Amino acid sequence: MSGKVLTHRDGLITQRWEYGRLSQEAKNDHLPLRANDRDRSYLCDRKKTMRETMTAPLRTEITNYVQARKDAKLDKLQKDREAARKNAGTDLVAIEVLEASFAQASSALQERFEAANWLDDAANRAAQIKLVSHALKYTHSDAKGTSLKAAPQSVADGYLTSAQLADLQLDVVGNAAALDVANLLLLSADGKSLIARLLAEGDATALKPFAKDDAQLQRWVAGFTQALQLDGAASHRLAKQLYFPVGDNEYHLLGPLFATSLYHGLHGRISDARFGDTAKEARKASKQKQHHPAIVQDYPNLAVQTFGGSKPQNLSLLNSQRGGRAYLLCSRPPTWQSRLKPPASGEAFWGQYTDKVRELLAELRSFLVSVQDATSTLAIRDHRKTLVAALIGELHQLAASYQHLAPGWSSNTNLPLEMQCWLDLQRDDPAFLDERARRDWQAKVANRFALWLNNNLHHEKLQMGDVEHGEWSRLLRRELLLLREDLEVLA
């Protein structure tokens, strides 16, 4: 609801505009004002007042920032003065010269860090930096091509991109010596940074109290906005370049850039989940089996990539804030873990065992062929015994993998009964227990192993007739005895 009320009182025209609860009375004894003029003047004044009120916290941030930089310089100067004074000893002339020199330097710093003077210098140096969301220098620190700033958008296409970040934090590239200007432009209050106000709204209210006149204020605005004015697209010999064909002898030159703003958001989430106070408390509660409202988040198999070496600020401001470290999420395909499938028959079991010890079996066969005509020595016998013992060890490991399955699994297979007694130790049905009580299943399993080994050691150069078979049985007797003793322990 709005309305205009004109009243005549004591010869004065009183004009009141009403907008809901808001009203203003304007009186003029001499010059009558038109209603539209007075209304427009009121709205402009009110808008100006509201803008000044909203930017007051940002003005405070700017004042504190400049003051902090001045204090840091003065503190360093004071330390240098104290060190020089100490070195001067009792030389009064040297002390007098020293004090005069430092007084002059202090005065120069005070003048340099007057808000108007420092902002003048900062505006002149703003062209040395660029505010971007995608930076080139992560590819190579000496690359001179173009970096870019992604335009915000709200397209829900299923992809996570920099443009879809709710709070896009811009990175700064360029001259590392001008990063103090970048930090000024990124100062924010009430959710809006100085550079955002200058660029998006053309609002320089936060800077106006520091300017001597409007001309100086406009110079600052023009200077600071240069940080967002990117040059034309250009690649570089040190940049990544992809030539994408679009026709006969025609290509688009694609230049992949590092999504530094997107990555900074990811880095912040991972760091909070790993090192944040809330995350630490949640992990502590989890270890102590206690409840905690926060969710424990883990990022397994993280890798760390470093950028910039000992001077990460030479790449960008955000890289410096991250200490030059970049987390890389694990992108390896999942490792196939096959489920243990119980053997359905004795042939299936010995087939699995053959695949498991194929190389070891070939080594034993090759060794026996090489020493077939040699005189038996202790070294030969020891090496043969070592290889056979290794085969028996692999047999025990394979059997152990089945011995941990659910009791009774062997009842639905065609395994020989002695192998069921060996591989299904926890089975407890009466018929099975009776067979185990006979205590002859160990010898049967040992014989099956001997038969398997003889069959798999077949070679054209190994002529094993009855005599050789008996000799081979004698050579295996000790190993089979040890295997039988191991099996009896399981009974």
Side-chain angles (χ1 to χ4, degrees):
M1 295 290 296
S2 65
K4 180 177 64 176
V5 180
L6 297 179
T7 60
H8 184 276
R9 188 183 61 190
D10 297 332
L12 299 179
I13 298 296
T14 300
Q15 181 174 256
R16 183 173 74 252
W17 279 81
E18 296 181 348
Y19 289 92
R21 296 182 180 179
L22 182 63
S23 66
Q24 180 194 29
E25 292 189 357
K27 298 182 179 181
N28 192 312
D29 290 332
H30 304 290
L31 297 178
L33 294 179
R34 291 176 298 176
N36 289 342
D37 291 340
R38 298 178 69 94
D39 179 46
R40 188 180 299 110
S41 175
Y42 161 69
L43 292 176
C44 292
D45 289 344
R46 179 167 179 79
K47 187 175 181 180
K48 178 180 178 182
T49 302
M50 291 177 62
R51 185 183 299 119
E52 291 176 349
T53 302
M54 293 176 62
T55 58
L58 186 56
R59 292 199 302 272
T60 302
E61 291 290 329
I62 296 173
T63 301
N64 293 339
Y65 178 72
V66 177
Q67 183 65 40
R69 294 194 60 78
K70 180 173 71 172
D71 291 343
K73 295 289 185 181
L74 290 175
D75 288 344
K76 183 178 182 304
L77 183 65
Q78 179 63 21
K79 292 179 180 178
D80 293 343
R81 172 183 171 276
E82 292 174 356
R85 181 72 180 266
K86 184 176 181 180
N87 293 333
T90 58
D91 190 340
L92 297 180
V93 175
I95 293 176
E96 184 178 357
V97 173
L98 179 68
E99 291 295 341
S101 174
F102 277 97
Q104 184 178 1
S106 177
S107 178
L109 277 177
Q110 294 284 355
E111 182 179 0
R112 174 186 169 189
F113 281 93
E114 285 293 330
N117 296 336
W118 190 86
L119 289 171
D120 260 338
D121 177 65
N124 291 333
R125 293 185 292 126
Q128 301 176 23
I129 58 173
K130 300 297 178 185
L131 275 70
V132 301
S133 61
H134 295 69
L136 174 65
K137 283 184 173 289
Y138 287 86
T139 301
H140 196 287
S141 58
D142 289 333
K144 306 297 182 183
T146 304
S147 297
L148 298 176
K149 176 183 177 295
Q153 59 183 11
S154 58
V155 179
D157 56 4
Y159 294 98
L160 176 61
T161 64
S162 302
Q164 294 177 343
L165 290 179
D167 183 17
L168 182 68
Q169 186 171 355
L170 295 178
D171 203 349
V172 180
V173 298
N175 185 3
L179 289 182
D180 58 331
V181 183
N183 287 320
L184 169 73
L185 296 178
L186 295 176
L187 288 177
S188 63
D190 299 329
K192 285 189 177 181
S193 65
L194 174 59
I195 191 62
R197 293 179 183 277
L198 292 176
L199 180 69
E201 304 175 4
D203 182 9
T205 309
L207 294 174
K208 189 173 182 179
F210 305 106
K212 298 176 182 178
D213 51 45
D214 288 341
Q216 186 180 43
L217 179 62
Q218 293 306 316
R219 288 198 303 272
W220 292 350
V221 173
F224 288 138
T225 53
Q226 290 186 67
L228 286 171
Q229 296 174 2
L230 301 177
D231 301 329
S235 186
H236 189 263
R237 62 184 180 85
L238 297 177
K240 292 181 179 179
Q241 299 182 359
L242 300 176
Y243 287 86
F244 189 84
V246 294
D248 293 339
N249 296 323
E250 293 183 359
Y251 298 87
H252 279 317
L253 178 58
L254 306 180
L257 301 176
F258 185 79
T260 176
S261 295
L262 174 63
Y263 178 73
H264 197 69
L266 175 64
H267 184 274
R269 293 188 62 174
I270 294 177
S271 296
D272 288 343
R274 298 183 70 194
F275 311 116
D277 292 338
T278 302
K280 292 179 180 178
E281 293 174 359
R283 283 192 175 86
K284 181 179 180 181
S286 177
K287 291 180 180 178
Q288 297 175 352
K289 307 298 182 181
Q290 297 178 353
H291 170 73
H292 194 279
I295 298 175
V296 176
Q297 298 180 356
D298 288 318
Y299 297 86
N301 300 320
L302 278 178
V304 177
Q305 184 178 8
T306 58
F307 293 98
S310 61
K311 296 182 178 180
Q313 70 275 10
N314 286 346
L315 265 65
S316 75
L317 178 64
L318 295 185
N319 188 59
S320 178
Q321 293 179 7
R322 298 189 294 262
R325 295 164 58 87
Y327 294 124
L328 301 178
L329 297 176
C330 181
S331 59
R332 293 179 302 177
T335 302
W336 179 262
Q337 294 181 349
S338 58
R339 292 188 303 173
L340 185 63
K341 186 177 181 180
S345 63
E347 291 77 9
F349 174 83
W350 293 108
Q352 293 176 1
Y353 179 57
T354 302
D355 293 338
K356 183 179 178 65
V357 298
R358 193 174 301 278
E359 293 183 3
L360 187 59
L361 192 63
E363 183 180 355
L364 176 59
R365 185 188 302 115
S366 177
F367 175 73
L368 292 177
V369 171
S370 66
V371 301
Q372 183 178 15
D373 299 327
T375 303
S376 179
T377 63
L378 180 61
I380 292 177
R381 292 192 298 273
D382 285 346
H383 187 61
R384 182 176 57 233
K385 182 169 59 176
T386 299
L387 292 176
V388 175
L391 286 171
I392 294 175
E394 292 292 339
L395 182 64
H396 282 316
Q397 288 188 15
L398 180 61
S401 64
Y402 297 122
Q403 290 165 357
H404 289 88
L405 295 177
W409 64 266
S410 63
S411 59
N412 297 321
T413 67
N414 294 322
L415 282 170
L417 197 54
E418 66 271 12
M419 294 190 67
Q420 295 183 30
C421 293
W422 176 34
L423 300 178
D424 195 0
L425 296 177
Q426 305 302 321
R427 185 174 165 184
D428 57 0
D429 55 277
F432 181 80
L433 295 177
D434 289 343
E435 179 64 25
R436 282 183 62 104
R438 296 175 185 174
R439 300 182 62 83
D440 63 345
W441 59 270
Q442 299 96 332
K444 294 180 181 180
V445 171
N447 289 333
R448 286 185 177 274
F449 172 75
L451 180 61
W452 170 88
L453 185 57
N454 280 330
N455 291 337
N456 282 275
L457 286 177
H458 175 74
H459 192 274
E460 59 182 7
K461 293 184 179 181
L462 288 177
Q463 303 297 328
M464 293 192 297
D466 293 338
V467 177
E468 288 79 11
H469 185 271
E471 178 65 14
W472 177 243
S473 299
R474 187 185 67 80
L475 293 173
L476 283 180
R477 189 172 298 125
R478 178 169 176 76
E479 284 76 10
L480 294 177
L481 178 60
L482 293 174
L483 174 61
R484 182 171 179 174
E485 290 176 353
D486 290 338
L487 294 174
E488 288 177 348
V489 173
L490 301 175

